[in-house]
Amino acid sequence: MKVKVCVGSNCTLLGSMSILDQIDDLKDIISEDSDSYNDEELEVEVIKCLGYCKNTDVKVAPVVVIDDEPMYNATSQTVMEKIINKIRK
Ligand code: FES
Protein backbone atom coordinates (compact mmCIF):
# COMPACT_ATOMS: atom_id res chain seq x y z
CA MET A 1 0.00 0.00 0.00
CA LYS A 2 1.28 3.42 -0.93
CA VAL A 3 0.73 6.26 1.50
CA LYS A 4 1.76 9.79 0.54
CA VAL A 5 1.82 12.36 3.29
CA CYS A 6 2.04 16.01 2.37
CA VAL A 7 4.53 18.01 4.40
CA GLY A 8 4.04 21.29 2.56
CA SER A 9 3.59 24.31 4.81
CA ASN A 10 -0.22 24.25 4.88
CA CYS A 11 -0.39 20.57 5.73
CA THR A 12 2.44 20.76 8.28
CA LEU A 13 0.76 23.63 10.08
CA LEU A 14 -2.35 21.53 10.43
CA GLY A 15 -0.71 18.39 11.73
CA SER A 16 0.78 16.23 9.01
CA MET A 17 3.90 15.51 11.12
CA SER A 18 1.84 13.87 13.80
CA ILE A 19 0.10 11.77 11.14
CA LEU A 20 3.55 10.63 9.96
CA ASP A 21 4.52 9.69 13.53
CA GLN A 22 1.35 7.66 13.91
CA ILE A 23 1.97 5.84 10.64
CA ASP A 24 5.46 4.92 11.88
CA ASP A 25 3.99 3.51 15.08
CA LEU A 26 1.38 1.64 13.07
CA LYS A 27 4.10 0.08 10.91
CA ASP A 28 5.65 -1.41 14.04
CA ILE A 29 2.31 -2.72 15.26
CA ILE A 30 1.57 -4.30 11.88
CA SER A 31 4.96 -5.99 11.64
CA GLU A 32 4.52 -7.53 15.10
CA ASP A 33 1.03 -8.90 14.47
CA SER A 34 0.96 -10.96 11.31
CA ASP A 35 -2.11 -12.83 12.58
CA SER A 36 -4.29 -9.75 12.30
CA TYR A 37 -2.79 -7.94 9.33
CA ASN A 38 -1.78 -8.74 5.77
CA ASP A 39 1.92 -8.65 5.16
CA GLU A 40 1.37 -6.00 2.50
CA GLU A 41 4.16 -3.47 2.75
CA LEU A 42 3.27 0.02 3.86
CA GLU A 43 5.24 2.32 1.62
CA VAL A 44 5.29 5.83 3.00
CA GLU A 45 6.29 8.74 0.84
CA VAL A 46 6.74 12.25 2.19
CA ILE A 47 5.95 14.95 -0.33
CA LYS A 48 6.29 18.72 -0.20
CA CYS A 49 2.88 20.06 -1.23
CA LEU A 50 0.84 17.67 -3.29
CA GLY A 51 -0.78 20.68 -4.94
CA TYR A 52 -4.29 20.09 -3.62
CA CYS A 53 -4.22 23.22 -1.45
CA LYS A 54 -3.35 25.43 -4.42
CA ASN A 55 -6.35 24.68 -6.59
CA THR A 56 -9.15 25.44 -4.20
CA ASP A 57 -10.49 27.99 -1.74
CA VAL A 58 -11.80 25.17 0.41
CA LYS A 59 -9.59 24.07 3.30
CA VAL A 60 -8.15 20.67 2.43
CA ALA A 61 -4.98 20.41 4.55
CA PRO A 62 -3.62 18.09 5.77
CA VAL A 63 -3.76 15.90 2.68
CA VAL A 64 -2.83 12.20 2.71
CA VAL A 65 -3.14 10.01 -0.38
CA ILE A 66 -3.69 6.30 0.14
CA ASP A 67 -3.36 4.18 -3.00
CA ASP A 68 -4.13 7.21 -5.18
CA GLU A 69 -7.20 8.13 -3.16
CA PRO A 70 -6.80 11.56 -1.55
CA MET A 71 -8.01 12.22 1.98
CA TYR A 72 -8.63 15.88 2.78
CA ASN A 73 -8.56 17.38 6.29
CA ALA A 74 -6.87 14.16 7.31
CA THR A 75 -6.39 13.38 10.98
CA SER A 76 -4.29 10.68 12.59
CA GLN A 77 -7.49 8.86 13.43
CA THR A 78 -9.05 8.92 9.95
CA VAL A 79 -5.77 7.90 8.32
CA MET A 80 -5.16 5.04 10.78
CA GLU A 81 -8.71 3.78 10.31
CA LYS A 82 -8.37 3.81 6.54
CA ILE A 83 -5.03 1.98 6.56
CA ILE A 84 -6.15 -0.59 9.13
CA ASN A 85 -9.38 -1.32 7.23
CA LYS A 86 -7.35 -2.02 4.11
CA ILE A 87 -4.79 -4.32 5.67
CA ARG A 88 -6.80 -6.11 8.34
CA LYS A 89 -7.22 -9.80 7.60
S1 FES B 1 0.73 21.92 1.53
FE1 FES B 1 -0.25 19.99 1.45
S2 FES B 1 -1.33 20.02 -0.40
FE2 FES B 1 -0.29 21.90 -0.39
Side-chain angles (χ1 to χ4, degrees), residues 15-81:
S16 59
M17 298 316 273
S18 98
I19 295 174
L20 265 178
D21 284 348
Q22 294 274 318
I23 294 173
D24 261 354
D25 290 348
L26 184 63
K27 271 175 133 176
D28 293 341
I29 292 167
I30 290 167
S31 67
E32 286 162 12
D33 188 356
S34 59
D35 289 342
S36 307
Y37 302 106
N38 298 325
D39 58 1
E40 187 181 353
E41 198 189 336
L42 204 56
E43 251 181 82
V44 182
E45 203 178 333
V46 174
I47 296 185
K48 282 217 168 108
C49 190
L50 289 160
Y52 293 100
C53 66
K54 309 265 190 238
N55 306 321
T56 176
D57 294 333
V58 181
K59 283 169 64 179
V60 295
V63 180
V64 174
V65 180
I66 298 179
D67 285 341
D68 295 327
E69 191 185 324
M71 296 176 72
Y72 305 119
N73 306 120
T75 64
S76 298
Q77 190 180 348
T78 56
V79 172
M80 293 313 111
E81 277 173 11

